[in-house]
């Protein structure tokens, strides 16, 4: 009688070490694609005025209720900004015009950090997010009050 224990058969598939694909390569490609989409969209918006062409999306809140949402006028404001008409853009949607430089500065700061530390993440303090939400809601309410110098559709 054989008292030895049978040995385990060798595994059929041996695990290979993980393959590390160029770090950040996918994000870089995504960034390039987003930049191209932004430039293409800006070119279309520059060429075709939203007030004269009907292929742009319409605000459903305004269509159903007659109330302007915080984003109403943002597309027309961006069209005006692309043509250098800052005052007109501000009249169409002041929150949008004021938010653009702030968002640009936030993204530029992140890009500088990302160059120094490739693991840097795009973050925002929670308190800033809540303040932003409160400002957006307040703007949405105030712009619909009688006497607010908002742009009519």
């Amino acid at each position: 009688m054989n008292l030895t224990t049978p040995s385990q058969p060798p595994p059929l598939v041996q695990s290979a070490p993980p393959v590390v694909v160029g770090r950040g390569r996918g994000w870089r490609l995504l960034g390039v694609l987003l930049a191209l989409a932004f430039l293409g969209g800006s070119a279309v918006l520059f060429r075709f005025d939203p007030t004269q062409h009907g292929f742009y999306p319409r605000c459903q809140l305004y269509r159903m209720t007659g109330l302007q949402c915080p984003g109403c006028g943002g597309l027309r404001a961006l069209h005006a900004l692309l043509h250098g008409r800052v005052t007109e853009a501000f009249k169409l949607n002041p929150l949008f015009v004021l938010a653009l430089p702030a968002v640009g500065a936030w993204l530029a700061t992140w890009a500088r950090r990302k160059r120094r530390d490739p693991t840097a993440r795009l973050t925002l303090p929670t308190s800033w997010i809540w303040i932003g939400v409160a400002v957006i809601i307040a703007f949405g309410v105030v712009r619909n009050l009688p006497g607010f110098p908002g742009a009519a559709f």
Side-chain angles (χ1 to χ4, degrees), residues 15 66 149:
S15 62

Side-chain angles (χ1 to χ4, degrees), residues 38-119:
F38 177 77
L39 289 174
S42 296
V44 169
L45 187 58
F46 181 85
R47 173 70 177 90
F48 301 102
D49 187 352
T51 60
Q52 297 175 356
H53 295 87
F55 59 84
Y56 292 106
R58 300 282 179 213
C59 179
Q60 296 304 306
L61 179 71
Y62 183 77
R63 188 180 69 79
M64 291 188 295
T65 66
L67 297 173
Q68 293 183 11
C69 76
C72 279
L75 198 60
R76 292 175 289 136
L78 187 54
H79 175 77
L81 283 174
L82 289 171
H83 287 274
R85 300 186 307 255
V86 179
T87 306
E88 179 185 339
F90 189 79
K91 288 178 185 176
L92 291 166
N93 191 323
L95 181 63
F96 177 79
V97 173
L98 293 175
L100 278 179
V103 170
W106 175 53
L107 290 174
T109 301
W110 170 74
R112 275 195 307 272
R113 252 192 331 224
K114 188 78 170 165
R115 282 195 180 274
R116 279 187 259 124
D117 178 15
T119 62

